[in-house]
Amino acid sequence: MESKEYKLLEKLYFERIGGTDKELEACHIIQDELKQLGLESYIEDFDVVTNHVSKVSLEVLKPYQKTYEATAYMGCVNTQGLVGELCYFESDNAVSKKQVCGKIALVNGYLGMKTFKAITEAKAVGFITYNGNIDREENDLDPRELRESLQEFGNLPGVNIRVEDAMEMVAKGASEVRIVVEQTIEKVSSHNLICDITGESEDMIVCTAHYDSVPHSKGAYDNATGSVCLYGLAKELKDKKLAHNLRLIWCGSEERGLLGSKAYVAAHQEEMENIKLCVNVDMIGSIMGRRIAVCTSDMSLVHYMDYFGKIKGFPIEVSQGVYSSDSTPFADNGVPAVSFARITSPGTGEIHSRYDVMEHLSESMLLQDTSFICEFVSEMANSFVIPIPKEIPDNMKEEIDKYYGRDLKKKEEEDKKA
């Protein structure tokens, strides 16, 4: 017989992009399951943007002529027909930066903050990215977003294409291209779902997991599993007497830049003093893989988690660091955090594509992971004093600054003053 957790996983097995009706549908599914447990919950809306594309294209003009299917970067500037010399931007070193000046950059890999800063500083006039895996039988064409954190360095017209098309362009020596992007932007709502289990003190432990997915993905592993884990916590702890308050937050639009957790922290600043720990769950229950716990905290939590795993006979690798998930906005606001995950072994599971499927998951592993996390949360929620120091050490503050690109922005400001 399937567990309630696994049945909920099956119910959430559909595309749930942040800011869409399907994301809200998933939110209501979780809320209904909580209601059946006898738990009240509430939804908090927050603004996100979406784009309406009227025209997008990428044409190679020289030395051959071909039009490739493309998607527009949400938030990029429009162009009715930008024609320019193409530069394969292999890396953000000095040579590549000089080569891309005045040209359209075909970015080698993911368009991260450092890379976008490099091409804007180098005065590129546009950019092209790609997604997929050349060894896959089929690659979906992903929409991409020029996030606000990137737009602080500038804005350029940009499109995304499939990996096989990008490789063909480089192999054939594409030298001149035309980009067309016409889109409008509007604000829509995304949603955080919140459920409280009341304890005896004013102190609070927050547990987070995002329930949205990326386009073309049903997001079984990333992160319906984390959402189901939070449900499992609610099921196990709802009738227990807790020493401290427990708040469960299913975060929307994480895949679009941790937007749900950022919105929650911004709207609940008065609570930050009482929140002593954030426990985040993002990707568990895979058939193959290794369990990890990443602590954005004082080293004492790293040691505690290591000891706790050994005491419980649970194989988990513990480290101090910043995990790219909803724990980070809390840590950025002074709340120690730990993120749990079971990272798939190479070739045994994928995220951010149609290949994130139920078949790569195990009900047994999901329940094992959930049980261990529940035991840890229960220990913290029933501690005489929550033992985690309420501080973020300097080395973790530096890592958070790097994660958000503040080090790059600081350097840019210093360069302007020099």
Side-chain angles (χ1 to χ4, degrees), residues 62-229:
K62 294 179 182 178
Y64 67 98
Q65 292 78 47
K66 185 171 181 177
T67 299
Y68 294 101
E69 186 180 3
T71 55
Y73 260 77
M74 185 191 303
C76 80
V77 295
N78 289 341
T79 175
Q80 294 183 351
L82 171 67
V83 176
E85 187 177 346
L86 184 69
C87 175
Y88 180 33
F89 192 73
E90 296 186 12
S91 64
D92 52 1
N93 58 37
V95 173
S96 293
K97 289 172 74 172
K98 186 173 182 179
Q99 290 174 334
V100 82
C101 180
K103 300 175 186 177
I104 296 171
L106 173 55
V107 175
N108 183 34
Y110 181 72
L111 185 68
M113 194 176 295
K114 188 179 178 184
T115 299
F116 188 70
K117 180 176 183 288
I119 65 172
T120 54
E121 283 182 344
K123 295 182 169 48
V125 296
F127 65 91
I128 302 164
T129 63
Y130 60 86
N131 73 269
N133 185 319
I134 195 61
D135 293 320
R136 286 179 187 159
E137 184 175 336
E138 186 172 359
N139 289 297
D140 292 306
L141 182 57
D142 291 346
R144 293 285 174 85
E145 183 172 357
L146 196 65
R147 295 174 179 173
E148 290 183 2
S149 57
L150 271 68
Q151 291 183 40
E152 291 182 22
F153 298 111
N155 202 329
L156 303 171
V159 297
N160 186 55
I161 60 177
R162 292 183 177 88
V163 62
E164 55 264 36
D165 295 335
M167 291 182 72
E168 181 178 78
M169 288 171 64
V170 174
K172 289 186 174 182
S175 60
E176 185 177 78
V177 299
R178 178 191 288 118
I179 292 176
V180 175
V181 174
E182 294 182 14
Q183 64 177 326
T184 57
I185 304 292
E186 71 166 339
K187 286 185 179 180
V188 295
S189 292
S190 186
H191 311 85
N192 290 330
L193 176 64
I194 301 167
C195 177
D196 289 324
I197 300 176
T198 305
E200 295 181 340
S201 80
E202 293 182 355
D203 290 341
M204 180 184 293
I205 296 169
V206 164
C207 298
T208 57
H210 75 90
Y211 68 95
D212 64 312
S213 73
V214 300
H216 306 304
S217 174
K218 295 181 180 179
Y221 173 47
D222 183 17
N223 184 38
T225 56
S227 299
V228 165
C229 180

Side-chain angles (χ1 to χ4, degrees), residues 11 69 107 133 188 228 274 279 323 404 407:
K11 289 181 180 179
E69 186 180 3
V107 175
N133 185 319
V188 295
V228 165
N274 289 338
V279 178
Y323 191 76
Y404 283 124
D407 59 328

Side-chain angles (χ1 to χ4, degrees), residues 178-354:
R178 178 191 288 118
I179 292 176
V180 175
V181 174
E182 294 182 14
Q183 64 177 326
T184 57
I185 304 292
E186 71 166 339
K187 286 185 179 180
V188 295
S189 292
S190 186
H191 311 85
N192 290 330
L193 176 64
I194 301 167
C195 177
D196 289 324
I197 300 176
T198 305
E200 295 181 340
S201 80
E202 293 182 355
D203 290 341
M204 180 184 293
I205 296 169
V206 164
C207 298
T208 57
H210 75 90
Y211 68 95
D212 64 312
S213 73
V214 300
H216 306 304
S217 174
K218 295 181 180 179
Y221 173 47
D222 183 17
N223 184 38
T225 56
S227 299
V228 165
C229 180
L230 257 61
Y231 167 81
L233 296 183
K235 181 167 69 76
E236 291 301 315
L237 299 177
K238 67 183 182 72
D239 295 324
K240 301 289 176 64
K241 185 178 179 180
L242 301 180
H244 312 293
N245 295 317
L246 185 63
R247 174 162 289 178
L248 309 175
I249 309 172
W250 286 263
C251 299
S253 293
E254 186 267 359
E255 298 288 9
R256 298 187 57 189
L258 317 184
L259 299 185
S261 48
K262 286 179 179 177
Y264 178 87
V265 167
H268 294 265
Q269 279 294 303
E270 74 284 354
E271 295 174 3
M272 291 300 117
E273 184 177 345
N274 289 338
I275 300 176
K276 306 302 182 185
L277 178 65
C278 173
V279 178
N280 183 63
V281 188
D282 196 346
M283 302 185 305
I284 59 172
S286 56
I287 296 174
M288 309 294 285
R290 58 188 178 88
R291 279 97 173 210
I292 66 168
V294 181
C295 303
T296 315
S297 68
D298 178 273
M299 280 298 294
S300 62
L301 180 56
V302 178
H303 299 315
Y304 182 92
M305 284 304 319
D306 181 57
Y307 297 158
F308 193 74
K310 290 171 179 173
I311 290 168
K312 298 296 181 180
F314 190 80
I316 188 165
E317 298 174 17
V318 188
S319 63
Q320 185 188 47
V322 174
Y323 191 76
S324 182
S325 189
D326 289 310
S327 51
T328 302
F330 285 90
D332 193 33
N333 279 262
V335 178
V338 55
S339 282
F340 292 98
R342 179 172 169 81
I343 304 300
T344 52
S345 306
T348 65
E350 286 193 36
I351 62 171
H352 296 171
S353 73
R354 67 163 63 193

